[in-house]
Amino acid sequence: FLWACAPFLLLWAFVAWAHHRVFGASFARGSPKKQLRVLVTGGKMSKASAVARAVGRDGHKVFTAEIMPYKFCHTRFCTYVSKHYVLPRPTVQPKEWEAAIQAIVAEQKIDLIIPCTAPVESSAYAHLRERLPPHVRVFAFDGETSDELDNKFTFNQVLVKAGLPCPETANMECLEDAVGFFRHKEAQPDDGKRYIVKPAVYDPKARTEILFLPIPDKHRQLEYLRSRNASKEVPYVIQEVLENPEYGSFAIFNKGTLTGFEFFESAASCLVYRRKGGKDYDDVLELNRGLGKAMNLTGQLTLDLMYTAAGDMVPIECNPRIHSAVCTLEGHQCIGAAYTDLEHKPCSDAELVTSKPDTFRYWVMDQLFLMAGFWKPKNCHKLSLAEMATGNDAILCGDDPMPFLAMYLVQIPSLLALEILPGTPWLKVDFCIGKIVKEGGD
């Protein structure tokens, strides 16, 4: 089906390229004081090619890297990428992975590393900076800050200390923690709140039965809490259940200052991005601004947000890393500086990297696969052809059309080919993160 759509994809890419050649760039280039040598990791992800373009358009020299089996990832075909590297997995071969990174840094005289990796790999980059040469920056929070934000309870405590809105959240490192929490709640008048028990740190394998507690059957509740097997090594949180819809925000910080921001409607499998405006946009922007200032953040941060019963929007968890919504920020004059300029601070609202109100991004093959019925539109956004006509593919750029073609015609087909012999079951193709989704994946 992918290759059957090749004529359509080639035509669309040619039209975008021709439009760029005839009418000029649809983006504004920055003017950095110095050319940096930048390594962008996580090459299989759409966000990696977006970042590579953002810094490459400003004149920086860009290199990319990704783990196997993503040797033919789309980012290596980017106009602005000088060379691509294949890395060992940091979660499987940490010593070999670090040695490979150190070798690239030495060989290419890297000044800056921008991680765009999967969640399970992001912590490795947060802890990498202390072992790199002093002149090499990693555009990510340091290891301690990353761990604090990644844990739902410690993140909640950061919000509490900063006086920022947040849901009620309790730590659970053993069964007794949960029993004590609910015993205390039962001794008070019922305020209607219900609670969910979930891992304190991201764990794709923990998507098991979910109960809204407390429930009348106390024996079932106790057995459910016991089955979580919470410990100091694998902590959980007990968090107030909030109300739909769910939203997300993506923010970029430099030395405590908010330099980039996006706010969008979210879904479990979100491959459609457009700005959600209004009061919530302003409130969440100020929330991010306050969080960045309170923690003096430098790096990228994603929040998941929902409504309380009172109608207030609060963050339920934090992912201290880049988000695919960065695709809506492409083309802003200051996006390259937000990643590369050590002293960059917006001097006006116009210099804060945000999307245009009418920016609308999606992955065209994801929508065509949904229309063709390859999988059901569960926890995702299914668009009509009329809606698609008002937006654009998240990867396609007139000055850099090859990653668009490579994602759909090279990267994904190469991954599907690798699945033929093993015959392992998989759920769907995620064109946004450029992988075959399997049960319990990263």
Side-chain angles (χ1 to χ4, degrees):
F1 186 75
L2 283 168
W3 284 346
C5 292
F8 159 69
L9 297 173
L10 287 164
L11 176 61
W12 196 3
F14 174 78
V15 170
W17 173 82
H19 185 277
H20 172 77
R21 298 289 293 182
V22 173
F23 297 102
S26 60
F27 55 87
R29 298 182 188 272
S31 52
K33 299 173 185 176
K34 175 188 174 184
Q35 184 193 59
L36 300 181
R37 301 175 72 83
V38 183
L39 175 63
V40 178
T41 63
K44 70 175 179 289
M45 308 273 193
S46 299
K47 48 199 168 189
S49 55
V51 170
R53 277 189 294 272
V55 297
R57 285 167 175 165
D58 278 8
H60 300 292
K61 198 168 184 66
V62 183
F63 305 88
T64 57
E66 182 54 287
I67 60 173
M68 287 294 283
Y70 305 98
K71 182 177 180 180
F72 300 106
C73 67
H74 74 291
T75 304
R76 72 181 302 161
F77 299 96
C78 177
T79 301
Y80 301 98
V81 172
S82 299
K83 188 173 181 178
H84 180 78
Y85 292 86
V86 178
L87 300 172
R89 287 181 178 265
T91 54
V92 178
Q93 298 174 289
K95 292 182 179 179
E96 291 83 354
W97 168 79
E98 184 178 331
I101 292 287
Q102 295 279 15
I104 297 170
V105 168
E107 177 189 345
Q108 299 297 348
K109 298 179 175 59
I110 298 297
D111 301 297
L112 173 66
I113 298 175
I114 306 176
C116 301
T117 53
V120 293
E121 298 170 38
S122 61
S123 179
Y125 285 92
H127 290 271
L128 175 66
R129 68 173 66 207
E130 57 209 44
R131 297 186 296 277
L132 289 170
H135 74 279
V136 181
R137 289 190 293 131
V138 179
F139 195 75
F141 308 129
D142 60 65
E144 183 179 349
T145 301
S146 180
D147 291 343
E148 184 177 25
L149 292 172
D150 223 1
N151 182 295
K152 296 176 181 64
F153 177 70
T154 53
F155 167 62
N156 181 267
Q157 294 307 295
V158 167
L159 296 175
V160 170
K161 291 174 185 175
L164 298 170
C166 58
E168 183 181 359
T169 305
N171 197 29
M172 178 182 171
E173 295 183 346
C174 62
L175 177 61
E176 289 69 27
D177 288 342
V179 170
F181 175 85
F182 286 107
R183 183 183 296 123
H184 175 72
K185 287 293 176 183
E186 289 169 5
Q188 299 176 335
D190 187 0
D191 57 6
K193 286 185 179 180
R194 292 298 176 264
Y195 299 87
I196 186 173
V197 177
K198 54 186 179 180
V201 179
Y202 177 83
D203 182 0
K205 297 178 181 178
R207 297 167 186 163
T208 54
E209 180 188 12
I210 295 175
L211 292 181
F212 294 148
L213 306 176
I215 57 176
D217 188 337
K218 299 306 175 186
H219 176 72
R220 184 187 178 197
Q221 177 171 306
L222 181 63
E223 290 305 310
Y224 176 78
L225 293 171
R226 180 179 286 114
S227 69
R228 304 302 91 181
N229 296 314
S231 64
K232 287 187 178 295
E233 293 72 29
V234 187
Y236 276 65
V237 293
I238 306 168
Q239 190 171 76
E240 173 187 356
V241 173
L242 301 174
E243 298 182 6
N244 286 320
E246 182 175 341
Y247 292 93
S249 71
F250 167 63
I252 308 172
F253 300 93
N254 186 42
K255 297 182 179 179
T257 298
L258 182 69
T259 59
F261 177 75
E262 183 60 289
F263 178 61
F264 49 91
E265 187 175 346
S266 187
S269 181
C270 188
L271 277 76
V272 173
Y273 292 105
R274 52 189 151 194
R275 180 202 285 199
K276 170 72 168 63
K279 180 180 180 298
D280 287 336
Y281 180 96
D282 297 332
D283 290 346
V284 176
L285 186 149
E286 290 305 319
L287 170 67
N288 276 275
R289 186 169 275 153
L291 181 60
K293 184 177 180 181
M295 298 189 70
N296 194 33
L297 297 176
T298 295
Q300 305 175 86
L301 179 145
T302 301
L303 297 179
D304 296 333
L305 307 106
M306 297 180 75
Y307 290 102
T308 64
D312 299 320
M313 180 165 282
V314 295
I316 55 174
E317 61 184 74
C318 171
N319 301 302
R321 48 193 160 264
I322 193 173
H323 192 278
S324 300
V326 71
C327 69
T328 66
L329 305 181
E330 273 203 77
H332 193 284
Q333 182 177 353
C334 296
I335 189 169
Y339 282 109
T340 59
D341 187 348
L342 189 59
E343 304 302 326
H344 175 68
K345 289 188 178 183
C347 297
S348 65
D349 289 344
E351 291 188 1
L352 176 65
V353 179
T354 58
S355 63
K356 296 177 181 178
D358 60 348
T359 298
F360 180 28
R361 296 286 183 266
Y362 57 87
W363 281 258
V364 65
M365 291 311 302
D366 173 66
Q367 293 301 320
L368 293 181
F369 268 58
L370 284 170
M371 291 177 185
F374 280 89
W375 47 77
K376 295 180 180 179
K378 181 181 178 183
N379 297 323
C380 65
H381 302 290
K382 184 177 180 180
L383 304 175
S384 66
L385 289 174
E387 287 176 310
M388 291 170 65
T390 64
N392 193 22
D393 189 275
I395 311 175
L396 181 59
C397 296
D399 63 320
D400 186 30
M402 286 306 296
F404 165 79
L405 295 173
M407 173 67 88
Y408 299 133
L409 302 179
V410 180
Q411 179 173 329
I412 296 301
S414 71
L415 296 175
L416 289 171
L418 292 174
E419 297 297 326
I420 294 175
L421 288 179
T424 52
W426 50 276
L427 304 176
K428 62 170 287 186
V429 176
D430 191 319
F431 295 100
C432 172
I433 60 176
K435 66 177 292 184
I436 311 300
V437 180
K438 300 177 182 179
E439 193 69 46
D442 59 3

